[in-house]
Amino acid sequence: MPAYNEEKNIERTISSWVPIIKNHPGSEILVINDGSKDKTADKLQGLAAKYKFLKIIHKKNEGHGKTILLGYKKAISSSHDWIFQTDSDGHFDPNDFYKLWGERKLSNCILGHRHKRKDGLHRIILSHLISIWIFILFGKYIKDPNIPFRLIKRTYLKEAIKIIPEGVFAPNIFLSILAAKHGYNLHHIPVKHKSTKKSHSNALKILKGALQGFAQLTLFGLRLI
């Protein structure tokens, strides 16, 4: 889980995943605190004292993309067979994890897709445009390519992550593309999506990030040809 300024959500989110961890003894939660400026770090330290399975990395603020990649790199150095990635803002229902877990023997990379997505219209439109652009560039249609609700085989992730350029805005999109290109059925399992106040973030900031993402995808597509 990447986390940035999630003091209002982080305790509830971590607690909601406790039953999943208990049903899979030996599992861990890794939270990467991306230089939060609020009390997220303090909240996490308190949670770590309560839950021994909770691992935390604090780092300077570098943005969501670099934080996700760092989390993946730490995860692939573990001994766990499967890596599950989600966000720390409480948008998802942890029970939907079992929908993906039940399909793990069928694919090395399994994605949810946000059913009745509770985001602003600009986010929804951009997501559709990205899916269309991916289809144009790579010939693969991916319903929700950037979804932070995905299950990946560690051995596959270890190889796939080597192909992702450093510094990309949305590494999860690149992972989705690679898995599709490598012939894996992503399954696109519908999962519940909840609205939070942070859902309605700055539209201009999102647009700038999207333009950067489109450019990076185009260069990536040229590189894979």
Side-chain angles (χ1 to χ4, degrees), residues 23-42:
N23 284 339
H24 296 83
S27 299
E28 299 174 297
I29 294 178
L30 171 64
V31 179
I32 313 290
N33 176 30
D34 184 32
S36 295
K37 297 175 182 177
D38 61 2
K39 296 181 180 179
T40 298
D42 294 336

Side-chain angles (χ1 to χ4, degrees), residues 18-85:
V18 170
I20 310 295
I21 297 296
K22 288 184 176 179
N23 284 339
H24 296 83
S27 299
E28 299 174 297
I29 294 178
L30 171 64
V31 179
I32 313 290
N33 176 30
D34 184 32
S36 295
K37 297 175 182 177
D38 61 2
K39 296 181 180 179
T40 298
D42 294 336
K43 299 272 188 179
L44 284 170
Q45 290 306 125
L47 288 165
K50 182 178 180 181
Y51 300 121
K52 300 307 179 186
F53 58 76
L54 179 60
K55 310 298 179 185
I56 305 166
I57 295 175
H58 298 286
K59 69 177 187 66
K60 66 178 182 180
N61 181 252
E62 297 176 293
H64 190 75
K66 287 189 176 182
T67 304
I68 288 281
L69 281 177
L70 175 61
Y72 281 140
K73 288 173 182 177
K74 293 295 182 180
I76 61 178
S77 67
S78 74
S79 60
H80 300 295
D81 291 332
W82 289 91
I83 309 299
F84 184 81
Q85 193 270 317

Side-chain angles (χ1 to χ4, degrees), residues 33-221:
N33 176 30
D34 184 32
S36 295
K37 297 175 182 177
D38 61 2
K39 296 181 180 179
T40 298
D42 294 336
K43 299 272 188 179
L44 284 170
Q45 290 306 125
L47 288 165
K50 182 178 180 181
Y51 300 121
K52 300 307 179 186
F53 58 76
L54 179 60
K55 310 298 179 185
I56 305 166
I57 295 175
H58 298 286
K59 69 177 187 66
K60 66 178 182 180
N61 181 252
E62 297 176 293
H64 190 75
K66 287 189 176 182
T67 304
I68 288 281
L69 281 177
L70 175 61
Y72 281 140
K73 288 173 182 177
K74 293 295 182 180
I76 61 178
S77 67
S78 74
S79 60
H80 300 295
D81 291 332
W82 289 91
I83 309 299
F84 184 81
Q85 193 270 317
T86 191
D87 275 350
S88 55
D89 52 18
H91 279 287
F92 296 99
D93 182 349
N95 288 316
D96 281 337
F97 164 82
Y98 293 109
K99 296 179 182 179
L100 278 66
W101 185 247
E103 304 295 324
R104 69 191 183 281
K105 294 182 180 179
L106 303 178
S107 179
N108 278 351
C109 184
I110 302 166
L111 304 186
H113 80 83
R114 284 165 272 210
H115 181 60
K116 296 182 180 179
R117 186 170 179 172
K118 305 296 184 180
D119 275 328
L121 182 61
H122 53 287
R123 281 182 178 268
I124 295 171
I125 291 172
L126 283 172
S127 180
H128 286 307
L129 289 175
I130 289 170
S131 292
I132 292 168
W133 192 236
I134 289 171
F135 182 76
I136 292 170
L137 290 174
F138 304 95
K140 302 291 182 181
Y141 182 73
I142 304 172
K143 283 187 178 181
D144 197 350
N146 197 34
I147 187 169
F149 204 86
R150 55 184 59 213
L151 182 67
I152 312 172
K153 185 81 170 178
R154 182 179 61 85
T155 49
Y156 174 68
L157 179 60
K158 187 175 182 179
E159 296 305 312
I161 207 167
K162 295 175 184 177
I163 308 173
I164 299 175
E166 289 288 336
V168 293
F169 179 74
N172 270 344
I173 294 178
F174 290 77
L175 278 174
S176 300
I177 293 167
L178 286 172
K181 290 287 285 183
H182 292 157
Y184 292 109
N185 183 346
L186 303 180
H187 291 276
H188 304 118
I189 296 171
V191 297
K192 300 182 189 73
H193 188 239
K194 309 171 192 174
S195 177
T196 70
K197 290 181 180 180
K198 288 188 71 175
S199 297
H200 309 291
S201 49
N202 186 282
L204 181 59
K205 183 178 179 181
I206 292 171
L207 179 60
K208 287 181 179 179
L211 291 174
Q212 181 184 358
F214 277 114
Q216 290 174 345
L217 278 175
T218 303
L219 292 174
F220 190 59

